[in-house]
Amino acid sequence: MYLYLGIIPLSLFIIFLISYLIDPRKIINGFLFNFFLITFLTFCLAVSLSSEQYILKLAIIIPIAALLLLIPFAIVAFTVALFLNARTLMRREGRRFANSLTLLLGLAIVAYFIIGSFNLTGRFPLEFQPFFAATSFVIMYFLFHVSNFLSAYFLYQFNRPRLHQDFIIVLGSGLINDKVPPLLASRINKAIDFYHKQAKVTTPPTIIFSGGQGPNEGLPEAEAMQKYALEKGIPLKHTMQENKSVNTYENMLFSKRIMDSLKPKYNSIFTTNNFHLFRAGLYARQAGLNSQGIGAKTAFYYWPNAMIREYVAIVVMGKKRHLIIISIVFFFAALLSLLIYLVN
């Protein structure tokens, strides 16, 4: 009987695989994968518990029990790691708000557990309790959302474009003293590496350097990026500039216009840093560009803070949907609070 339950995770995996192969640039892919994983683990647990094989039962039960016991220690370790990462990042990159996101997340986790441990919400009148419940629901909603985002993000890292591209778009990230900084250089180097790999087997692609001129920059990013690539040995005839864009969406949209004007049908990819890869893919989709990305490695100390920033940006991209859900939750909380007040 339990074997028939295996159809559920198998079906979910097939649905996930089809969705991923059609377009890996979707957060729903993370949801489908997580749903498959939960049902698969549940299926394994059910089969092991129903089995007469004692060793099989232990093989499933012991890891699950160990995982449950480790969760509190993992939360503490994660919180400590956030504070340590914030210290390292601020020392290396400077004390700016953009570099304090891991610190703020660590403080939020500590505050949440302090409020829960001392039951501070219980000291408020009964009419306020629906709002605390609504807040907890919203927190759970975003934990669910961020788990889907992280799964979709990690799955997208496995995307490997084929060596038959007509164009490579390199996304700008800002200049320092009108020079290409290490973060941006890693994106260009990723494109150069792909260029050489493809050139060995077929026609080399054209590299489009995408980035406009910032308020404190003496030249467009695209010009500095192109100069950097030429110094690395890329022929001028295989490079182009897109020097009007000021954000990732415009990088995609303006580069698409250039490619559309040059070739009616083409294959293209884009390069950026791995933490930015998934969100850039979403912008490419919004711009109507059928282009997948490859990510350059990022220093480990920089990655956690960057991922928080990426998630905040993802939330902002879907702000209307999130605001509707939050508004509905607190609307019902307000109604329940009013009802409690009237009854009392």
Side-chain angles (χ1 to χ4, degrees):
M1 176 182 176
Y2 285 107
L3 292 178
Y4 288 108
L5 293 177
I7 297 175
I8 297 175
L10 179 61
S11 300
L12 289 171
F13 180 74
I14 293 172
I15 294 171
F16 153 72
L17 193 60
I18 292 172
S19 177
Y20 184 82
L21 292 175
I22 291 174
D23 194 343
R25 304 167 298 176
K26 296 183 294 186
I27 290 183
I28 196 173
N29 292 332
F31 167 74
L32 292 172
F33 181 79
N34 290 341
F35 198 13
F36 150 72
L37 193 61
I38 291 170
T39 56
F40 177 72
L41 293 175
T42 303
F43 167 72
C44 291
L45 180 61
V47 170
S48 65
L49 292 176
S50 65
S51 173
E52 296 180 357
Q53 297 291 329
Y54 186 69
I55 295 178
L56 181 60
K57 289 183 178 181
L58 292 179
I60 299 295
I61 294 173
I62 290 177
I64 293 177
L67 180 63
L68 293 174
L69 290 173
L70 286 173
I71 287 176
F73 299 99
I75 293 173
V76 173
F78 176 70
T79 306
V80 172
L82 288 174
F83 288 122
L84 293 176
N85 176 260
R87 184 180 66 175
T88 301
L89 186 65
M90 289 183 181
R91 283 180 176 177
R92 297 189 182 187
E93 303 292 335
R95 295 178 179 273
R96 302 193 304 273
F97 177 77
N99 295 333
S100 65
L101 298 181
T102 47
L103 174 63
L104 294 175
L105 179 58
L107 291 173
I109 293 173
V110 171
Y112 182 80
F113 281 102
I114 288 176
I115 292 172
S117 299
F118 291 95
N119 193 27
L120 298 181
T121 58
R123 301 183 182 183
F124 286 83
L126 191 61
E127 303 92 81
F128 286 90
Q129 299 310 311
F131 291 102
F132 294 125
T135 302
S136 296
F137 181 87
V138 170
I139 291 173
M140 294 303 297
Y141 165 76
F142 279 108
L143 287 176
F144 173 76
H145 186 262
V146 75
S147 68
N148 294 335
F149 159 70
L150 289 174
S151 294
Y153 162 82
F154 282 112
L155 288 166
Y156 193 66
Q157 304 298 313
F158 292 99
N159 180 57
R160 294 292 181 270
R162 296 180 181 179
L163 298 173
H164 63 101
Q165 307 301 322
D166 299 296
F167 300 98
I168 304 174
I169 306 166
V170 184
L171 306 181
S173 63
L175 304 176
I176 297 179
N177 297 324
D178 294 337
K179 301 291 184 181
V180 172
L183 189 74
L184 181 54
S186 67
R187 301 182 179 191
I188 304 172
N189 291 335
K190 191 70 175 179
I192 292 173
D193 180 60
F194 190 93
Y195 172 92
H196 287 306
K197 286 181 179 179
Q198 180 169 313
K200 290 180 180 179
V201 296
T202 184
T203 305
T206 297
I207 305 177
I208 300 176
F209 300 99
S210 181
Q213 185 171 344
N216 298 319
E217 295 173 344
L219 73 165
E221 283 184 71
E223 184 178 334
M225 293 158 70
Q226 185 184 48
K227 181 180 178 182
Y228 177 92
L230 295 178
E231 291 173 352
K232 292 289 184 177
I234 300 298
L236 177 62
K237 64 179 181 179
H238 291 156
T239 68
M240 295 187 69
Q241 291 185 32
E242 181 289 294
N243 55 18
K244 301 297 183 183
S245 57
V246 297
N247 54 47
T248 305
Y249 175 73
E250 291 186 357
N251 287 148
M252 300 300 186
L253 183 63
F254 296 166
S255 296
K256 181 179 184 298
R257 290 174 181 174
I258 292 174
M259 294 184 291
D260 288 343
S261 66
L262 294 174
K263 206 168 185 180
K265 292 185 178 180
Y266 55 85
N267 295 313
S268 67
I269 61 171
F270 61 86
T271 65
T272 184
N273 292 91
N274 53 9
F275 66 83
H276 183 240
L277 191 62
F278 183 73
R279 181 161 64 96
L282 294 181
Y283 280 124
R285 195 161 171 247
Q286 284 187 357
L289 181 60
N290 186 23
S291 182
Q292 306 297 340
I294 51 176
K297 292 183 179 179
T298 308
F300 182 74
Y301 76 88
Y302 190 84
W303 183 85
N305 196 79
M307 283 301 297
I308 296 173
R309 190 169 65 245
E310 286 298 301
Y311 178 66
V312 172
I314 291 287
V315 170
V316 172
M317 288 177 70
K319 59 181 179 296
K320 289 184 179 179
R321 180 178 68 255
H322 299 309
L323 286 173
I324 289 172
I325 292 173
I326 293 171
S327 298
I328 291 173
V329 170
F330 277 95
F331 173 75
F332 282 106
L335 286 179
L336 184 57
S337 178
L338 179 61
L339 180 61
I340 292 173
Y341 176 78
L342 293 174
V343 171
N344 291 338

